[in-house]
Amino acid sequence: PYMRLLGVIVAGGRASRMGFDKIFATVGGKTILERTIAALAPQVDLLVINANEGGTRFAATGLAVIADEAPGLATPLAGIHAGLRHASAHGFDAVLTVPADCPFLPADLAKRLAPGPAIAASGSETHFLTGLWPMGLLGSLEAAIAGGLSRVKDWAARCQARPVPWPSLPFDPFLNLNTPGDLAEAERIARRED
């Protein structure tokens, strides 16, 4: 059966480690955010951004911005929760979440993670925020948050999200950019892609 998918780019915090807002850094001539949108938009029925400081930062994308709905939860789990709440109010079947700082997301992400719950993996890493979460999980997620659960990793374990592996060669499609070195590496990969 066809699944109506809401895509959520979790752009929670600004990256202080880089000294600037990394999702607006460019890789291969496009911002990381533009690359994320381009990879994800064809895979979902609607794409939104999860962030808490209003939409002005993202106005140029034309995407709706949804805020966290779990007060006091200052981890990316709040983004998954906000996505599921938004999806339940708008008739979606599942939510596909990705972090905002992965410029090389695979084109088969939604297809391979469905029906979920499932999370992406590559090399020896599990990418807990890159996951597909069916609507039926909303109640148990809210109960888990109310009970003090705050880490995406713990939530993935609790809902038994299955890891789906991707090859990490010639490059890791889930490379996320946290340092200037990561950005330089992404630039090298983008040059190879062209």
Side-chain angles (χ1 to χ4, degrees), residues 57-148:
R57 242 169 109 208
F58 303 107
T61 66
L63 299 180
V65 176
I66 62 169
D68 293 347
E69 294 194 31
L73 182 62
T75 72
L77 191 59
I80 295 174
H81 174 257
L84 282 167
R85 284 286 291 262
H86 191 77
S88 77
H90 296 88
F92 289 93
D93 300 310
V95 173
L96 176 65
T97 56
V98 300
D101 61 353
C102 293
F104 304 111
L105 291 169
D108 58 354
L109 194 59
K111 192 167 72 187
R112 292 198 51 212
L113 292 177
I119 47 180
S122 59
S124 58
E125 302 274 316
T126 308
H127 309 287
F128 297 103
L129 187 54
T130 304
L132 197 141
W133 318 98
M135 282 317 311
L137 293 173
L138 179 57
S140 54
L141 177 57
E142 295 196 320
I145 291 169

